[in-house]
Structure formats: structure tokens, C-alpha cells
Amino acid sequence: MAARSKCSYPRTGGSVCLSPYCAISLAGVATLTSGPTGFASLDPPQAWPRPRTAPRPERWAGGLEGLPGVGPALRRKLAKLGLATVGDLLSHRPFRYEEPVPEVPIRDLFGEDEVTIVGTVRSATSRRTARRLTVQTVRVLDGSGEIGAVFFNQPWVAEKLRAGTHVRLRGALSRRGGFAVKSFDVGEAEATADFAPVYPASEEVTPKKLRELVAQALPLAPAAGDPLPAALRADERLPLRGDALVAVHRPRSLAEAEEGRRRLAFDELLLLQIAIARRAHERETSVAPSLGEPGELIRRYREALPFTLTPEQEGAIRQIDADLARAVPMQRLLQGDVGSGKTVVALYALLRAVEHGRQGALMAPTETLAEQHFLTIDGLCRELGVPCALLTSSVPARERRQGRDADLFVGTHALIQEDVEFRDLAVAVVDEQHRFGVEQRQALAEGRAPHVLHMTATPIPRTLALTVYGDLSVSEIARPPANRKPIVTRWIPEERASEAYRRLRRLLDEGRQAYVVCPLIEESETSRARAAEQEAERLARAELRSYRIGCLHGRLRPADRRELMARFKAHELDVLVATTVIEVGVDVPNATVMIVQEADRFGLAQLHQLRGRVGRGGEQSYCLLVSRRKEELTEGAQERLQALVDTTDGFALAEKDLELRGEGQLLGTRQHGLSDLRFTKLRADRDLLERARAAAPGLVGVRGPLEDEFFAADLST
Ligand code: ADP
Ligand code: MG
């Protein structure tokens, strides 16, 4: 895809990219060498020493449909896991390995330790329990004895393990009698092998299936070539990349797996550090207006706020003031959990520009979010006499033109589209920037170098922030305003959902408001909208009879959506039935209870964001997560929901998310070409990060196979 080789994120002054991801995006690496400004002041590109193995990137980049047994259906399921190419699959890091366990004769089974047994199937039976579970029991015998091996909810087992089949079973004696099976193999030991990799999987693609596919793809590993200069690899004492991949997927010991992982992590970190070094170099050469000290308008702003700022907010503001006083463009990340009060800080920064007769702009990833911000900001701006305009693609062109003279702009990317010409943009706030799709990134008017404040509610552990944002400064609002009570979170099985609605009604009767979040269906925005509408109608007839219900989804006309939100805010509606469009930015402090339907389908970070819509005022708030029964959920889904019940601390949840999903996904950057830290474990890899940092400057002006590889990968998508 040609677009990939060009960073299309707002650029200023023709040189500085506003995106912190540019620093980390692999596409960014490409831009920085091929862009118009290039690296004139750097040494001309040297030849990167060719590695010993000749890379065959086309095989690494080849689609998974090239593997035996992968048809269109499986390909789609794999795609949902972010796996499209052989390279994706081989970069899918096991999140753990099976322990080595002894092989034990059946007669000697004892205690509840995990072991393997090997034997022959005598018979297989299947039955259903009262709770809709199916249980398969397979009688297995070896030379020493016989035992009933028990499988839960795997109806195909009876079919596969016919009498006479030779099996290897991994599991443990269960207290109820019998051998509870964790995994099994027919023939060669794979799933049951010591150090068998366990991959992040989905309900549709099991870890077992992934193991099979990886086994098929692994012979292609050397095709990746080895992009590291041989001398560097030797200095760093790292294994060849192909060997590292084999070690990660087929380790003979945990140490071997770890050595392989670290080699691959080094590649990732090195690439990031090269990009960061390049970007820092570019930024040094651009200029922004110095905004001096805060003055009269800021004093009035502080007075107009209905509360005093918290020490955390004051701290962030001091750091922003220091940045704005300089002629170097600010590049600061304002990080704070949902509800921590980032918006008032953002408005502060914007008003600092207005105070100097310049302009400020706040860019949001969605119209809903832009409109939400506008509702908050416009109110305050009116009080201060600061003209403020909403610019989204749904605002009629005529109105947009009229708004052109405003001092403050709030909008989506439409804001930065061709018809808007900033008179003098001095401060830009970019909210939830990781939610911008690559394709949405439009060029900001050229010839400016505004100060940029990035806001994110996705808590990013400090190590990660340093790694991926590199030269970006970070301000953190670590604590919410003091009057907040922690949200009470409950995980409720579907059959008891009526209790959740009972609680919700009780709160409505006390004068509170509520959200009901509809299940995350994978299909289109349109079908999600339809499902939400149907659910709203159903609730209006059943659980929520006699309450005033609105339905918010991505297919509403913008004017209707604005009106709906305004009515909810004014308490003309009791309940908002919504899709995930309410995930960010919606701010109604009187809404104190949320029911999330089929909560197991959502990711951890997403659930945390959703939950952040309640608990925004002084009242006790509740988040009720409804899901299928625990036994029916994947291991990962159970852990996610339990983690949400256990803590409201966004940072603790981020760490948990890291553990469950791997680093790259935390950023929500599923898009190809953005940071994919698949092998890096940031906390464990601090030393690698330092080494990559040290090696990067020497490679800044060099083009080489590391990049070629990514160009190749780009072409394949
Ligand atoms: P964020 O954008 O970080 O999720 P917001 O800026 O939307 O959070 O703030 C959440 C809520 O807290 C808003 O209703 C806001 O008015 C309120 N708020 C912000 N700062 C304070 C403060 N210092 N004291 C009390 N309430 C505050
Ligand atoms: Mg907000």
C-alpha cells in the first residue's frame, strides 16, 4: 500500500510530524528518510553491511492462505487476531510455555500434580450435565493400569479418540476421581510436550490450532533473513534471527526461548530508537511562538471553574507553562486515567494561545468525542468571551466558514481539512491520538509549528511511555479529584442479569442516570446500530418500562446525536442504551451506573474506558459486567473480567493487559505499520532498551534491510 510509505499525520512547517507515533511508527522511519526534508544535514546514507543470509522478504510477507488447510474462513478468523501473513504468525509470541512434566505410568498416578500419561483408548463416552456442560470420558490403558480421562465441553473428542487410538494426555488426577485432561496429542507430542508454546488465542482459533499453523510456517523462518548488521549482532552476542524464531516457537528450555525472544525484542527496540533519534533531529530545527507567562484571561478562567484544580492538575499546568515559554515546539503527553480531569488542563493550554491573540485547536478522533468536548469547552468559553467553533464534517460548510475567525476550534480531523486555514495556530491538543486511524490523518496547514499536547486516557506504563514516545515529555495526572468514590464493579452471569437491572432501576428511582452498553458485534457500524436500537426497544418494553430511554450509536445523524447527548445531560432521559461510541469523552456526572452486556467480548482497556463513563461525580457509582457463565469463557476473558472487579486502577489494569496481550496491542495500534512490540517485555528488557539506544545513533543515517523488510511487509497488505 503506497500510503504506508508516507506519514500522513498532521505535519507542521513541512518538517515536524505531530504524531508521537511517527517516532515509533515503522512507516515513520520510511518517511523520515524519503520525505522532502530528508536528512540533508546528516551524512549521506552509507551502505548497510549485507547480512550473511539473503533475506526473502516476500515469503515472510506472504499471506497465511499459502499454508495448507487455511481457507477463507480460517483466514478471516486469524485476521481478527491480527494475523494475516507468515510474518505475523511467526511474530505471534507465546504468552507462556507448558511446564516440563514427568511421564507417569497410570498405576503410579498420585496427588494432583500435572503429569503426562501415554496409552491406548479403550472406549469413549459423552454425557450432558444439568448445567448444559458436556463431559467426555475416555477410558485409557497403558501396561500398568487403566483410568477414565475426563474432558469438558469438547464434543469432538469422542469422535477423535476412538477405541485403539494411541494418545498422550497432559493433566492431573482430579479430586472427583479420574484424570482431568488439560491437553492431548494423537501421535507426536505437540500440545502435551514440555515447553509447548501457549499462544494468545480466541474462541474461534484455539491455541492448538495456532500451534499447528506455526509448526507449518516455522520452516519459512529463515526467509526473514537477518536485518541486523553482522558486526552489531556479534557485539551484542545475539543469535541469528531465524534461530531466534525457532527458539521462541520450539524451545528445548525456557532459557532458550528467552534468548530467542530477546533477540527479536532487540530488533523492535532498535527500530524504535532509530526512529526517535531521527525525529528528535528534525524537531530541533523548527520554531514555535513563545507564549511567555499566563495573564488576565487565565486568571478569569481559573475563577470561572466551578472547582479548584487538584495539585496533580496544577503540576501538569506548570510543566505546560514551562514548555510554552520556549520557542521550541512543545511535544508533551498528558496522561491521566479516565475522569482524572485532563480536559480542563487541555483548555488551559488552548487559552494560553488565545491570550496571545493566537489560536488553539483541539482535535478528537470521533465526532461524538469532539461534540462532547465542545459542550464542555464552549460553555466555559462563552463565560470568558472567547469565540469557539465546532468543526466536524457534519457541520455545514457555511457554518464552518463563519467559524473561521474563532480563536478556539474543537473538531475532528475535518478541522484540519483543506477549507480551514488557521490564522495563527499556536497550540494544538490532540486527544486520544492512538485512536486516529492512519487514513484519517490529514495534513495540518503547512508552515506552522504549534505547540502540541497529546492527551491519552490509556494508561501507559512509564517504561513503555519512554520507549515509544522517546523524546516526548510526559505529564501525568495520577490521581482523580478527591471527591470521587471508587466505582463498585460486579461480574454477573447472564442468568442473573435481572439482578443487575433491579439495581439499575433502584438507582434511577433515586434520581441517577444509567448507561446500558450493547454487545460488541464484529460486523459493521450499521448492524451495531441496528442491534442497539432493537435492544433499546426491548428494554423499553421489559426491564426498563416506564423510564425514559435514548439510544446512542454511530449511525445517528450528528444533529440528532448532539441533541440526544444534550437531553441526557439535562436529565430529560434516564438511560442511554449505547454502542461503544460512548467509550471516550462522554461526561455526565449524574450517570452513576452502567451495565455492560456480554462483557467478555470486550478488551480490558476498552472495558476500563467504558467504566470511566460513571464515577465522574461525588456519588457512589456502579459498573455491572454481564457475561456468560464463567466456565464457558476463555481463560483470557475470565482474567480480564476478574481484573476489572479487583481494581479500578488504570495503571494496574494496563500492566495486566500487557501481561495478557503483549505490549504492542496496549496502544490500540492494530493498524499495520504502527508500533508492534510483539517480543519486547518492557519491564524485563530495560537493559536491551539501553543497548538499542546506544546502538541507534550509529544507524540513523543508514538505510538498510531493517527498513527494506518493512517496505516489503507494506506491499503485502
Ligand atoms: P478526563 O478527560 O481526564 O477523562 P475530564 O476532564 O472529563 O476527565 O473530567 C472528569 C470530570 O471531573 C468532569 O466532570 C470535570 O468537570 C470534573 N473535574 C475536573 N477537574 C476537577 C477538579 N479539580 N475538581 C472537581 N471536579 C473536577
Ligand atoms: Mg475527557
PDB file of all heavy atoms in Angstrom, residues 681-715:
ATOM      1  N   LYS A 681       9.361  -7.163  26.290  1.00  0.00           N
ATOM      2  CA  LYS A 681       8.713  -7.108  27.605  1.00  0.00           C
ATOM      3  C   LYS A 681       9.372  -5.960  28.326  1.00  0.00           C
ATOM      4  O   LYS A 681      10.490  -6.087  28.821  1.00  0.00           O
ATOM      5  CB  LYS A 681       8.966  -8.397  28.392  1.00  0.00           C
ATOM      6  CG  LYS A 681       8.215  -9.599  27.897  1.00  0.00           C
ATOM      7  CD  LYS A 681       8.481 -10.756  28.842  1.00  0.00           C
ATOM      8  CE  LYS A 681       7.684 -11.976  28.419  1.00  0.00           C
ATOM      9  NZ  LYS A 681       8.052 -13.149  29.249  1.00  0.00           N
ATOM     10  N   LEU A 682       8.669  -4.840  28.351  1.00  0.00           N
ATOM     11  CA  LEU A 682       9.383  -3.624  28.714  1.00  0.00           C
ATOM     12  C   LEU A 682      10.033  -3.650  30.085  1.00  0.00           C
ATOM     13  O   LEU A 682      11.120  -3.150  30.270  1.00  0.00           O
ATOM     14  CB  LEU A 682       8.456  -2.440  28.567  1.00  0.00           C
ATOM     15  CG  LEU A 682       8.260  -2.179  27.080  1.00  0.00           C
ATOM     16  CD1 LEU A 682       7.037  -1.360  26.837  1.00  0.00           C
ATOM     17  CD2 LEU A 682       9.490  -1.516  26.487  1.00  0.00           C
ATOM     18  N   ARG A 683       9.331  -4.213  31.026  1.00  0.00           N
ATOM     19  CA  ARG A 683       9.940  -4.177  32.350  1.00  0.00           C
ATOM     20  C   ARG A 683      11.187  -5.047  32.408  1.00  0.00           C
ATOM     21  O   ARG A 683      12.189  -4.683  32.992  1.00  0.00           O
ATOM     22  CB  ARG A 683       8.932  -4.607  33.408  1.00  0.00           C
ATOM     23  CG  ARG A 683       8.109  -3.434  33.907  1.00  0.00           C
ATOM     24  CD  ARG A 683       6.939  -3.911  34.695  1.00  0.00           C
ATOM     25  NE  ARG A 683       6.093  -4.788  33.896  1.00  0.00           N
ATOM     26  CZ  ARG A 683       5.159  -5.576  34.387  1.00  0.00           C
ATOM     27  NH1 ARG A 683       4.967  -5.625  35.676  1.00  0.00           N
ATOM     28  NH2 ARG A 683       4.420  -6.316  33.597  1.00  0.00           N
ATOM     29  N   ALA A 684      11.099  -6.187  31.756  1.00  0.00           N
ATOM     30  CA  ALA A 684      12.239  -7.104  31.803  1.00  0.00           C
ATOM     31  C   ALA A 684      13.367  -6.648  30.875  1.00  0.00           C
ATOM     32  O   ALA A 684      14.523  -7.018  31.067  1.00  0.00           O
ATOM     33  CB  ALA A 684      11.776  -8.507  31.419  1.00  0.00           C
ATOM     34  N   ASP A 685      13.042  -5.837  29.893  1.00  0.00           N
ATOM     35  CA  ASP A 685      14.014  -5.543  28.835  1.00  0.00           C
ATOM     36  C   ASP A 685      14.650  -4.159  28.932  1.00  0.00           C
ATOM     37  O   ASP A 685      15.126  -3.626  27.935  1.00  0.00           O
ATOM     38  CB  ASP A 685      13.348  -5.692  27.458  1.00  0.00           C
ATOM     39  CG  ASP A 685      12.964  -7.132  27.167  1.00  0.00           C
ATOM     40  OD1 ASP A 685      13.507  -8.034  27.844  1.00  0.00           O
ATOM     41  OD2 ASP A 685      12.133  -7.357  26.276  1.00  0.00           O
ATOM     42  N   ARG A 686      14.625  -3.578  30.097  1.00  0.00           N
ATOM     43  CA  ARG A 686      15.256  -2.267  30.253  1.00  0.00           C
ATOM     44  C   ARG A 686      16.678  -2.245  29.702  1.00  0.00           C
ATOM     45  O   ARG A 686      17.091  -1.316  29.019  1.00  0.00           O
ATOM     46  CB  ARG A 686      15.312  -1.859  31.736  1.00  0.00           C
ATOM     47  CG  ARG A 686      14.115  -1.093  32.269  1.00  0.00           C
ATOM     48  CD  ARG A 686      13.564  -0.125  31.274  1.00  0.00           C
ATOM     49  NE  ARG A 686      14.268   1.155  31.244  1.00  0.00           N
ATOM     50  CZ  ARG A 686      13.839   2.240  31.840  1.00  0.00           C
ATOM     51  NH1 ARG A 686      12.721   2.217  32.532  1.00  0.00           N
ATOM     52  NH2 ARG A 686      14.515   3.359  31.749  1.00  0.00           N
ATOM     53  N   ASP A 687      17.437  -3.291  30.000  1.00  0.00           N
ATOM     54  CA  ASP A 687      18.836  -3.333  29.551  1.00  0.00           C
ATOM     55  C   ASP A 687      18.923  -3.359  28.028  1.00  0.00           C
ATOM     56  O   ASP A 687      19.753  -2.691  27.420  1.00  0.00           O
ATOM     57  CB  ASP A 687      19.554  -4.537  30.165  1.00  0.00           C
ATOM     58  CG  ASP A 687      18.948  -5.852  29.707  1.00  0.00           C
ATOM     59  OD1 ASP A 687      17.696  -5.937  29.668  1.00  0.00           O
ATOM     60  OD2 ASP A 687      19.699  -6.779  29.367  1.00  0.00           O
ATOM     61  N   LEU A 688      18.026  -4.110  27.404  1.00  0.00           N
ATOM     62  CA  LEU A 688      18.011  -4.163  25.938  1.00  0.00           C
ATOM     63  C   LEU A 688      17.701  -2.795  25.356  1.00  0.00           C
ATOM     64  O   LEU A 688      18.278  -2.368  24.363  1.00  0.00           O
ATOM     65  CB  LEU A 688      16.923  -5.119  25.454  1.00  0.00           C
ATOM     66  CG  LEU A 688      17.204  -6.604  25.353  1.00  0.00           C
ATOM     67  CD1 LEU A 688      15.989  -7.286  24.748  1.00  0.00           C
ATOM     68  CD2 LEU A 688      18.432  -6.856  24.480  1.00  0.00           C
ATOM     69  N   LEU A 689      16.746  -2.114  26.019  1.00  0.00           N
ATOM     70  CA  LEU A 689      16.359  -0.782  25.571  1.00  0.00           C
ATOM     71  C   LEU A 689      17.573   0.142  25.596  1.00  0.00           C
ATOM     72  O   LEU A 689      17.829   0.885  24.648  1.00  0.00           O
ATOM     73  CB  LEU A 689      15.243  -0.253  26.468  1.00  0.00           C
ATOM     74  CG  LEU A 689      14.816   1.203  26.283  1.00  0.00           C
ATOM     75  CD1 LEU A 689      14.321   1.441  24.874  1.00  0.00           C
ATOM     76  CD2 LEU A 689      13.710   1.557  27.273  1.00  0.00           C
ATOM     77  N   GLU A 690      18.342   0.079  26.680  1.00  0.00           N
ATOM     78  CA  GLU A 690      19.537   0.914  26.775  1.00  0.00           C
ATOM     79  C   GLU A 690      20.525   0.559  25.661  1.00  0.00           C
ATOM     80  O   GLU A 690      21.128   1.435  25.048  1.00  0.00           O
ATOM     81  CB  GLU A 690      20.214   0.727  28.143  1.00  0.00           C
ATOM     82  CG  GLU A 690      19.381   1.216  29.330  1.00  0.00           C
ATOM     83  CD  GLU A 690      18.898   2.661  29.176  1.00  0.00           C
ATOM     84  OE1 GLU A 690      19.611   3.463  28.540  1.00  0.00           O
ATOM     85  OE2 GLU A 690      17.788   2.974  29.669  1.00  0.00           O
ATOM     86  N   ARG A 691      20.682  -0.717  25.410  1.00  0.00           N
ATOM     87  CA  ARG A 691      21.625  -1.139  24.369  1.00  0.00           C
ATOM     88  C   ARG A 691      21.155  -0.658  22.999  1.00  0.00           C
ATOM     89  O   ARG A 691      21.955  -0.209  22.166  1.00  0.00           O
ATOM     90  CB  ARG A 691      21.782  -2.659  24.393  1.00  0.00           C
ATOM     91  CG  ARG A 691      22.745  -3.120  25.489  1.00  0.00           C
ATOM     92  CD  ARG A 691      22.496  -4.548  25.927  1.00  0.00           C
ATOM     93  NE  ARG A 691      22.637  -5.507  24.832  1.00  0.00           N
ATOM     94  CZ  ARG A 691      22.377  -6.814  24.957  1.00  0.00           C
ATOM     95  NH1 ARG A 691      21.961  -7.299  26.115  1.00  0.00           N
ATOM     96  NH2 ARG A 691      22.524  -7.617  23.933  1.00  0.00           N
ATOM     97  N   ALA A 692      19.857  -0.751  22.766  1.00  0.00           N
ATOM     98  CA  ALA A 692      19.322  -0.294  21.485  1.00  0.00           C
ATOM     99  C   ALA A 692      19.516   1.214  21.340  1.00  0.00           C
ATOM    100  O   ALA A 692      19.840   1.724  20.270  1.00  0.00           O
ATOM    101  CB  ALA A 692      17.846  -0.662  21.373  1.00  0.00           C
ATOM    102  N   ARG A 693      19.313   1.920  22.450  1.00  0.00           N
ATOM    103  CA  ARG A 693      19.520   3.372  22.440  1.00  0.00           C
ATOM    104  C   ARG A 693      20.941   3.725  22.091  1.00  0.00           C
ATOM    105  O   ARG A 693      21.202   4.672  21.367  1.00  0.00           O
ATOM    106  CB  ARG A 693      19.240   3.935  23.827  1.00  0.00           C
ATOM    107  CG  ARG A 693      17.860   4.422  23.951  1.00  0.00           C
ATOM    108  CD  ARG A 693      17.721   5.325  25.142  1.00  0.00           C
ATOM    109  NE  ARG A 693      16.328   5.717  25.185  1.00  0.00           N
ATOM    110  CZ  ARG A 693      15.705   6.180  26.241  1.00  0.00           C
ATOM    111  NH1 ARG A 693      16.371   6.342  27.358  1.00  0.00           N
ATOM    112  NH2 ARG A 693      14.452   6.501  26.177  1.00  0.00           N
ATOM    113  N   ALA A 694      21.855   2.939  22.640  1.00  0.00           N
ATOM    114  CA  ALA A 694      23.267   3.206  22.386  1.00  0.00           C
ATOM    115  C   ALA A 694      23.621   2.905  20.934  1.00  0.00           C
ATOM    116  O   ALA A 694      24.431   3.597  20.328  1.00  0.00           O
ATOM    117  CB  ALA A 694      24.127   2.377  23.350  1.00  0.00           C
ATOM    118  N   ALA A 695      23.013   1.886  20.374  1.00  0.00           N
ATOM    119  CA  ALA A 695      23.354   1.483  19.005  1.00  0.00           C
ATOM    120  C   ALA A 695      22.690   2.375  17.958  1.00  0.00           C
ATOM    121  O   ALA A 695      23.202   2.529  16.849  1.00  0.00           O
ATOM    122  CB  ALA A 695      22.956   0.026  18.776  1.00  0.00           C
ATOM    123  N   ALA A 696      21.539   2.976  18.304  1.00  0.00           N
ATOM    124  CA  ALA A 696      20.738   3.683  17.307  1.00  0.00           C
ATOM    125  C   ALA A 696      21.450   4.854  16.616  1.00  0.00           C
ATOM    126  O   ALA A 696      21.381   4.965  15.392  1.00  0.00           O
ATOM    127  CB  ALA A 696      19.426   4.147  17.927  1.00  0.00           C
ATOM    128  N   PRO A 697      22.133   5.725  17.364  1.00  0.00           N
ATOM    129  CA  PRO A 697      22.712   6.893  16.691  1.00  0.00           C
ATOM    130  C   PRO A 697      23.616   6.514  15.521  1.00  0.00           C
ATOM    131  O   PRO A 697      23.638   7.202  14.500  1.00  0.00           O
ATOM    132  CB  PRO A 697      23.514   7.575  17.805  1.00  0.00           C
ATOM    133  CG  PRO A 697      22.849   7.138  19.067  1.00  0.00           C
ATOM    134  CD  PRO A 697      22.373   5.733  18.804  1.00  0.00           C
ATOM    135  N   GLY A 698      24.307   5.406  15.640  1.00  0.00           N
ATOM    136  CA  GLY A 698      25.199   4.970  14.573  1.00  0.00           C
ATOM    137  C   GLY A 698      24.450   4.540  13.319  1.00  0.00           C
ATOM    138  O   GLY A 698      25.036   4.407  12.254  1.00  0.00           O
ATOM    139  N   LEU A 699      23.162   4.313  13.449  1.00  0.00           N
ATOM    140  CA  LEU A 699      22.400   3.797  12.309  1.00  0.00           C
ATOM    141  C   LEU A 699      21.394   4.809  11.770  1.00  0.00           C
ATOM    142  O   LEU A 699      20.649   4.530  10.840  1.00  0.00           O
ATOM    143  CB  LEU A 699      21.659   2.516  12.724  1.00  0.00           C
ATOM    144  CG  LEU A 699      22.564   1.373  13.205  1.00  0.00           C
ATOM    145  CD1 LEU A 699      21.749   0.240  13.781  1.00  0.00           C
ATOM    146  CD2 LEU A 699      23.423   0.866  12.052  1.00  0.00           C
ATOM    147  N   VAL A 700      21.397   5.997  12.351  1.00  0.00           N
ATOM    148  CA  VAL A 700      20.387   6.990  11.998  1.00  0.00           C
ATOM    149  C   VAL A 700      20.409   7.357  10.516  1.00  0.00           C
ATOM    150  O   VAL A 700      19.374   7.466   9.871  1.00  0.00           O
ATOM    151  CB  VAL A 700      20.544   8.259  12.868  1.00  0.00           C
ATOM    152  CG1 VAL A 700      19.847   9.447  12.237  1.00  0.00           C
ATOM    153  CG2 VAL A 700      19.969   8.000  14.248  1.00  0.00           C
ATOM    154  N   GLY A 701      21.588   7.529   9.968  1.00  0.00           N
ATOM    155  CA  GLY A 701      21.663   7.979   8.579  1.00  0.00           C
ATOM    156  C   GLY A 701      21.759   6.835   7.586  1.00  0.00           C
ATOM    157  O   GLY A 701      22.038   7.043   6.418  1.00  0.00           O
ATOM    158  N   VAL A 702      21.518   5.644   8.061  1.00  0.00           N
ATOM    159  CA  VAL A 702      21.744   4.466   7.237  1.00  0.00           C
ATOM    160  C   VAL A 702      20.438   3.853   6.790  1.00  0.00           C
ATOM    161  O   VAL A 702      19.515   3.715   7.573  1.00  0.00           O
ATOM    162  CB  VAL A 702      22.521   3.415   8.085  1.00  0.00           C
ATOM    163  CG1 VAL A 702      22.683   2.128   7.301  1.00  0.00           C
ATOM    164  CG2 VAL A 702      23.863   3.974   8.496  1.00  0.00           C
ATOM    165  N   ARG A 703      20.364   3.513   5.519  1.00  0.00           N
ATOM    166  CA  ARG A 703      19.191   2.737   5.093  1.00  0.00           C
ATOM    167  C   ARG A 703      19.637   1.300   4.965  1.00  0.00           C
ATOM    168  O   ARG A 703      20.750   1.026   4.569  1.00  0.00           O
ATOM    169  CB  ARG A 703      18.694   3.232   3.740  1.00  0.00           C
ATOM    170  CG  ARG A 703      18.130   4.613   3.859  1.00  0.00           C
ATOM    171  CD  ARG A 703      17.223   4.909   2.702  1.00  0.00           C
ATOM    172  NE  ARG A 703      16.179   3.890   2.617  1.00  0.00           N
ATOM    173  CZ  ARG A 703      15.135   4.009   1.794  1.00  0.00           C
ATOM    174  NH1 ARG A 703      15.031   5.030   1.003  1.00  0.00           N
ATOM    175  NH2 ARG A 703      14.221   3.075   1.764  1.00  0.00           N
ATOM    176  N   GLY A 704      18.760   0.386   5.309  1.00  0.00           N
ATOM    177  CA  GLY A 704      19.206  -0.995   5.265  1.00  0.00           C
ATOM    178  C   GLY A 704      18.077  -1.981   5.309  1.00  0.00           C
ATOM    179  O   GLY A 704      16.909  -1.608   5.213  1.00  0.00           O
ATOM    180  N   PRO A 705      18.448  -3.214   5.458  1.00  0.00           N
ATOM    181  CA  PRO A 705      17.470  -4.300   5.383  1.00  0.00           C
ATOM    182  C   PRO A 705      16.364  -4.188   6.430  1.00  0.00           C
ATOM    183  O   PRO A 705      15.241  -4.605   6.178  1.00  0.00           O
ATOM    184  CB  PRO A 705      18.297  -5.559   5.648  1.00  0.00           C
ATOM    185  CG  PRO A 705      19.701  -5.163   5.386  1.00  0.00           C
ATOM    186  CD  PRO A 705      19.807  -3.708   5.647  1.00  0.00           C
ATOM    187  N   LEU A 706      16.651  -3.606   7.596  1.00  0.00           N
ATOM    188  CA  LEU A 706      15.582  -3.465   8.577  1.00  0.00           C
ATOM    189  C   LEU A 706      14.431  -2.729   7.935  1.00  0.00           C
ATOM    190  O   LEU A 706      13.270  -3.059   8.102  1.00  0.00           O
ATOM    191  CB  LEU A 706      16.067  -2.660   9.783  1.00  0.00           C
ATOM    192  CG  LEU A 706      16.478  -3.436  11.023  1.00  0.00           C
ATOM    193  CD1 LEU A 706      16.927  -2.475  12.112  1.00  0.00           C
ATOM    194  CD2 LEU A 706      15.357  -4.312  11.528  1.00  0.00           C
ATOM    195  N   GLU A 707      14.751  -1.702   7.190  1.00  0.00           N
ATOM    196  CA  GLU A 707      13.708  -0.928   6.535  1.00  0.00           C
ATOM    197  C   GLU A 707      13.147  -1.647   5.326  1.00  0.00           C
ATOM    198  O   GLU A 707      11.943  -1.693   5.126  1.00  0.00           O
ATOM    199  CB  GLU A 707      14.241   0.431   6.115  1.00  0.00           C
ATOM    200  CG  GLU A 707      14.476   1.302   7.316  1.00  0.00           C
ATOM    201  CD  GLU A 707      15.145   2.592   6.933  1.00  0.00           C
ATOM    202  OE1 GLU A 707      15.060   2.978   5.766  1.00  0.00           O
ATOM    203  OE2 GLU A 707      15.759   3.194   7.808  1.00  0.00           O
ATOM    204  N   ASP A 708      14.041  -2.242   4.543  1.00  0.00           N
ATOM    205  CA  ASP A 708      13.576  -2.958   3.350  1.00  0.00           C
ATOM    206  C   ASP A 708      12.494  -3.931   3.741  1.00  0.00           C
ATOM    207  O   ASP A 708      11.480  -4.087   3.081  1.00  0.00           O
ATOM    208  CB  ASP A 708      14.718  -3.760   2.717  1.00  0.00           C
ATOM    209  CG  ASP A 708      15.794  -2.839   2.184  1.00  0.00           C
ATOM    210  OD1 ASP A 708      15.514  -1.627   2.073  1.00  0.00           O
ATOM    211  OD2 ASP A 708      16.893  -3.323   1.895  1.00  0.00           O
ATOM    212  N   GLU A 709      12.754  -4.577   4.875  1.00  0.00           N
ATOM    213  CA  GLU A 709      11.818  -5.574   5.337  1.00  0.00           C
ATOM    214  C   GLU A 709      10.439  -4.980   5.540  1.00  0.00           C
ATOM    215  O   GLU A 709       9.432  -5.584   5.232  1.00  0.00           O
ATOM    216  CB  GLU A 709      12.340  -6.120   6.649  1.00  0.00           C
ATOM    217  CG  GLU A 709      11.521  -7.228   7.194  1.00  0.00           C
ATOM    218  CD  GLU A 709      12.185  -7.726   8.453  1.00  0.00           C
ATOM    219  OE1 GLU A 709      13.422  -7.869   8.446  1.00  0.00           O
ATOM    220  OE2 GLU A 709      11.472  -7.913   9.417  1.00  0.00           O
ATOM    221  N   PHE A 710      10.427  -3.773   6.059  1.00  0.00           N
ATOM    222  CA  PHE A 710       9.126  -3.193   6.324  1.00  0.00           C
ATOM    223  C   PHE A 710       8.472  -2.671   5.059  1.00  0.00           C
ATOM    224  O   PHE A 710       7.265  -2.712   4.924  1.00  0.00           O
ATOM    225  CB  PHE A 710       9.233  -2.134   7.414  1.00  0.00           C
ATOM    226  CG  PHE A 710       9.569  -2.779   8.717  1.00  0.00           C
ATOM    227  CD1 PHE A 710      10.813  -2.634   9.276  1.00  0.00           C
ATOM    228  CD2 PHE A 710       8.641  -3.604   9.331  1.00  0.00           C
ATOM    229  CE1 PHE A 710      11.124  -3.276  10.454  1.00  0.00           C
ATOM    230  CE2 PHE A 710       8.943  -4.256  10.502  1.00  0.00           C
ATOM    231  CZ  PHE A 710      10.191  -4.095  11.072  1.00  0.00           C
ATOM    232  N   PHE A 711       9.284  -2.221   4.120  1.00  0.00           N
ATOM    233  CA  PHE A 711       8.689  -1.859   2.838  1.00  0.00           C
ATOM    234  C   PHE A 711       8.021  -3.077   2.233  1.00  0.00           C
ATOM    235  O   PHE A 711       6.914  -3.033   1.744  1.00  0.00           O
ATOM    236  CB  PHE A 711       9.758  -1.346   1.868  1.00  0.00           C
ATOM    237  CG  PHE A 711      10.279   0.006   2.244  1.00  0.00           C
ATOM    238  CD1 PHE A 711      11.635   0.256   2.310  1.00  0.00           C
ATOM    239  CD2 PHE A 711       9.397   1.030   2.545  1.00  0.00           C
ATOM    240  CE1 PHE A 711      12.109   1.508   2.661  1.00  0.00           C
ATOM    241  CE2 PHE A 711       9.859   2.279   2.902  1.00  0.00           C
ATOM    242  CZ  PHE A 711      11.239   2.511   2.957  1.00  0.00           C
ATOM    243  N   ALA A 712       8.728  -4.193   2.329  1.00  0.00           N
ATOM    244  CA  ALA A 712       8.194  -5.425   1.754  1.00  0.00           C
ATOM    245  C   ALA A 712       6.891  -5.794   2.450  1.00  0.00           C
ATOM    246  O   ALA A 712       5.901  -6.136   1.822  1.00  0.00           O
ATOM    247  CB  ALA A 712       9.204  -6.555   1.899  1.00  0.00           C
ATOM    248  N   ALA A 713       6.901  -5.687   3.761  1.00  0.00           N
ATOM    249  CA  ALA A 713       5.704  -6.045   4.521  1.00  0.00           C
ATOM    250  C   ALA A 713       4.552  -5.134   4.109  1.00  0.00           C
ATOM    251  O   ALA A 713       3.424  -5.562   3.962  1.00  0.00           O
ATOM    252  CB  ALA A 713       5.973  -5.919   6.009  1.00  0.00           C
ATOM    253  N   ASP A 714       4.874  -3.869   3.875  1.00  0.00           N
ATOM    254  CA  ASP A 714       3.830  -2.926   3.493  1.00  0.00           C
ATOM    255  C   ASP A 714       3.175  -3.310   2.176  1.00  0.00           C
ATOM    256  O   ASP A 714       1.971  -3.217   2.017  1.00  0.00           O
ATOM    257  CB  ASP A 714       4.429  -1.527   3.341  1.00  0.00           C
ATOM    258  CG  ASP A 714       4.513  -0.854   4.689  1.00  0.00           C
ATOM    259  OD1 ASP A 714       3.833  -1.305   5.615  1.00  0.00           O
ATOM    260  OD2 ASP A 714       5.260   0.106   4.804  1.00  0.00           O
ATOM    261  N   LEU A 715       3.997  -3.733   1.248  1.00  0.00           N
ATOM    262  CA  LEU A 715       3.464  -4.053  -0.068  1.00  0.00           C
ATOM    263  C   LEU A 715       2.465  -5.189  -0.002  1.00  0.00           C
ATOM    264  O   LEU A 715       1.573  -5.296  -0.827  1.00  0.00           O
ATOM    265  CB  LEU A 715       4.619  -4.452  -1.002  1.00  0.00           C
ATOM    266  CG  LEU A 715       5.555  -3.308  -1.353  1.00  0.00           C
ATOM    267  CD1 LEU A 715       6.716  -3.817  -2.163  1.00  0.00           C
ATOM    268  CD2 LEU A 715       4.795  -2.226  -2.104  1.00  0.00           C
TER     269      LEU A 715
END
